[in-house]
Amino acid sequence: MQKLFPRKLALLAGLFALLVSMPLASNQASVPSSRYRFYVQAKSRADVRRLSGWLNKNEFDVAGVNLHTGILEVLTTDTGVAFLKDHGLTGRLVSVQIAGGRSARLTGLDARYLDPAKVAKRLADINAKYPTVTRVIEIGRSLNDLPILGLIISTTLDTSDPAFHEKPTVLVDGMHHAREIMTPEIVLDMADTILAASARNVRAHNIVSGINLVLVPMVNVDGNTKVWNDDNMWRKNAHAQAKSVFGVDINRNYPYRWANCDGSSSDKGAQDYHGASAASEPETQALMNIADRIHPMASLSYHSYSELVIYPFGCDGEFTSENALLSKLGSEMANLLPSDDGKGHYTPGTPWQLLYAVDGDSMGYLFATYGAVAYTFEVNQDFQPSYNVREPTLKKHRAAWSYFLDQIQQHLETFHVQDASGKPIAADIEIKEIPHTKGERSFATNIAGNYFKVLLPGQYTVHVTTKDGRSGSADLMMADSPSRTTITVQ
């Protein structure tokens, strides 16, 4: 539930003037007595960006954006509608009826979608069907002590075994935000599709044998439980104080750039409340812990909605030093993803280019910490579309994620660092052509002495340094095919 009045004065040039600033507290523990979908029409693509940023800063719940039509959906209440109209916003207003008691949910939530129990059963069923190449793992537990489950797909299933780290790892997650019910469907469909095809399809077989896939279909199990029992527009986790649930936005709680660039809120009532401190939430810690075990070289995170392919960084005006790679691959995947209404395709870009500034997100964290080629997909044109939309959504995303897996394998450089005796050794890696200027962590080898990096074709100069001060270097010419460089430190 959004805080309805702004926390600071702001001006939206070209749309409306903000006249007053009066905070009004909201109660996150209860479902509001009224709720509306307010579909606001922006005047241009630039106005979409300005308007979504203004709404986000003023703590309205910007449900999603259709960049092709310029329509933004705002979830709000009577007071919020009045406030927005007072400040010149017009658009289509839809009243949403809310039932009482334990079924206090918006109409239209289809029971065929996955809840935490169904996710656990699907994972167990997959493991039972493919026991030699899958493993179900618990990566952490929620505030309400529910397991946060993952699935490893690989011919090497033990993350503590050096053999696991002889292959690159891809981390895929869904449902950071509780109401985004299509996202675990896509993650689990990835498992089903790859495993079913691996015995007869060379590409699928190469995925299982050549990389480690670690899938976390439902990060926010507590929040999703609340979606099914109390309020199906709930976004955050179930963080509470004195039995009053206000929730933390898990995807604003990661340490990289946490609360750093006005890309989240310090207000507990805001939909993008970043928490009391960086990595304060067990769900955040769970994903961080599994990432630290596997050192992902690539990551896909599924969210909804707005039909976007997003890549780092989230803070206003900032691009990574790998923007050429990220934008190229992001654009290619977007072109494989037609819009649900058939009137266009997904739109690629950074969060601040398309919507508003974001800080403390998982995508930025994985990129800055591990150098992972990281993307966030905002799927569909609604949080909870008709179940008839499920299969077309899965089908189009199969094309995108399979292309992604093909491309990162094709452009993979493996750096192996060893000492003079040939023993693998831990080292930091510097690639001259990829400078770190935004607080990113140095590239680092895993426990097998390997670092896996997706690179565009070109020439690169590499320098490695061990903890005891030894060093080595190499020059390489990356072609349009995978390669391996061994660096011996002296």
Side-chain angles (χ1 to χ4, degrees):
M1 189 188 311
Q2 74 285 347
K3 191 173 173 72
L4 297 174
F5 279 41
R7 64 177 180 266
K8 62 184 179 181
L9 207 59
L11 180 66
L12 181 61
L15 286 174
F16 56 88
L18 181 60
L19 303 178
V20 294
S21 178
M22 295 176 55
L24 177 68
S26 61
N27 178 8
Q28 284 286 347
S30 62
V31 179
S33 58
S34 64
R35 183 179 278 156
Y36 297 89
R37 297 177 186 265
F38 195 2
Y39 296 92
V40 179
Q41 179 69 63
K43 298 177 181 178
S44 65
R45 175 67 68 85
D47 283 344
V48 169
R49 170 63 178 86
R50 289 195 294 268
L51 180 53
S52 61
W54 182 88
L55 290 164
N56 186 63
K57 287 181 179 180
N58 289 288
E59 299 179 0
F60 279 88
D61 186 354
V62 183
V65 175
N66 187 321
L67 292 179
H68 301 294
T69 63
I71 294 175
L72 300 88
E73 179 187 350
V74 183
L75 287 172
T76 189
T77 62
D78 288 312
T79 308
V81 170
F83 176 78
L84 294 174
K85 286 184 174 180
D86 283 347
H87 292 86
L89 270 75
T90 60
R92 183 166 61 94
L93 189 64
V94 178
S95 177
V96 181
Q97 299 299 317
I98 300 176
R102 287 185 56 81
S103 61
R105 304 191 297 264
L106 306 190
T107 58
L109 184 57
D110 195 309
R112 288 174 290 180
Y113 280 109
L114 297 166
D115 61 17
K118 290 178 181 177
V119 167
K121 185 177 186 307
R122 283 278 299 277
L123 290 173
D125 290 345
I126 291 170
N127 178 237
K129 190 173 182 179
Y130 305 99
T132 62
V133 290
T134 66
R135 180 183 178 188
V136 178
I137 58 173
E138 182 178 304
I139 68 169
R141 298 189 79 85
S142 70
L143 284 166
N144 291 334
D145 201 33
L146 293 176
I148 303 169
L149 299 175
L151 180 74
I152 300 175
I153 300 175
S154 179
T155 54
T156 52
L157 295 170
D158 184 356
T159 60
S160 64
D161 186 344
F164 179 93
H165 299 276
E166 292 293 348
K167 302 194 306 187
T169 300
V170 178
L171 178 62
V172 182
D173 71 75
M175 197 172 280
H176 266 81
H177 296 138
R179 61 195 177 189
E180 300 171 5
I181 61 177
M182 188 67 76
T183 62
E185 303 278 354
I186 298 172
V187 178
L188 286 170
D189 181 69
M190 183 184 296
D192 288 333
T193 302
I194 291 171
L195 290 166
S198 61
R200 64 182 187 276
N201 180 283
V202 173
R203 292 170 67 193
H205 174 77
N206 289 342
I207 291 170
V208 177
S209 62
I211 65 176
N212 308 305
L213 271 179
V214 179
L215 311 182
V216 183
M218 184 176 285
V219 178
N220 191 357
V221 288
D222 284 353
N224 188 247
T225 299
K226 188 172 176 64
V227 162
W228 288 100
N229 291 334
D230 299 317
D231 175 8
N232 74 319
M233 282 294 108
W234 188 259
R235 168 183 166 97
K236 300 183 284 183
N237 73 355
H239 201 119
Q241 186 173 15
K243 297 184 179 181
S244 177
V245 179
F246 54 85
V248 171
D249 184 344
I250 302 168
N251 205 40
R252 301 295 185 273
N253 190 238
Y254 289 88
Y256 180 70
R257 306 300 293 270
W258 179 81
N260 185 251
C261 64
D262 204 24
S264 57
S265 176
S266 60
D267 191 322
K268 293 178 181 178
Q271 288 290 349
D272 59 351
Y273 172 52
H274 52 53
S277 60
S280 60
E281 305 309 295
E283 298 89 351
T284 312
Q285 296 165 21
L287 203 73
M288 290 172 61
N289 288 339
I290 187 61
D292 200 50
R293 286 162 55 188
I294 64 176
H295 285 227
M297 66 97 167
S299 169
L300 300 177
S301 185
Y302 287 92
H303 291 246
S304 65
Y305 71 94
S306 290
E307 300 188 323
L308 309 174
V309 180
I310 304 175
Y311 46 85
F313 283 128
C315 292
D316 276 332
E318 294 187 1
F319 293 106
T320 75
S321 57
E322 299 181 62
N323 191 63
L325 168 65
L326 294 172
S327 60
K328 176 181 183 296
L329 190 50
S331 296
E332 290 165 354
M333 289 191 290
N335 287 334
L336 294 171
L337 292 165
S339 298
D340 288 352
D341 61 11
K343 297 181 180 179
H345 287 80
Y346 280 42
T347 304
T350 64
W352 60 267
Q353 286 179 304
L354 300 176
L355 296 173
Y356 39 70
V358 170
D359 52 29
D361 61 298
S362 68
M363 176 180 68
Y365 172 77
L366 293 171
F367 176 86
T369 306
Y370 303 101
V373 180
Y375 291 89
T376 294
F377 290 88
E378 295 281 355
V379 309
N380 298 129
Q381 294 178 347
D382 197 349
F383 287 131
Q384 294 155 9
S386 163
Y387 201 74
N388 293 334
V389 177
R390 175 183 175 275
E391 185 55 37
T393 300
L394 301 183
K395 182 177 179 180
K396 73 177 73 173
H397 279 277
R398 287 174 202 143
W401 58 249
S402 61
Y403 180 80
F404 177 75
L405 294 177
D406 284 345
Q407 289 296 303
I408 61 176
Q409 290 181 93
Q410 179 180 337
H411 296 97
L412 178 66
E413 176 65 30
T414 301
F415 296 101
H416 180 72
V417 183
Q418 62 184 28
D419 63 16
S421 70
K423 181 181 178 180
I425 190 168
D428 288 340
I429 297 177
E430 176 189 347
I431 302 175
K432 180 182 177 182
E433 292 74 19
I434 305 178
H436 290 166
T437 62
K438 299 293 190 297
E440 304 98 321
R441 196 171 78 179
S442 296
F443 302 144
T445 58
N446 60 28
I447 63 174
N450 297 317
Y451 180 69
F452 302 99
K453 186 64 181 170
V454 180
L455 295 173
L456 288 174
Q459 187 169 347
Y460 297 89
T461 299
V462 183
H463 185 78
V464 304
T465 307
T466 65
K467 290 183 179 180
D468 61 8
R470 289 177 288 170
S471 64
S473 60
D475 293 318
L476 67 103
M477 177 61 72
M478 184 70 184
D480 200 16
S481 60
S483 65
R484 179 182 175 92
T485 301
T486 299
I487 303 173
T488 302
V489 298
Q490 304 295 333

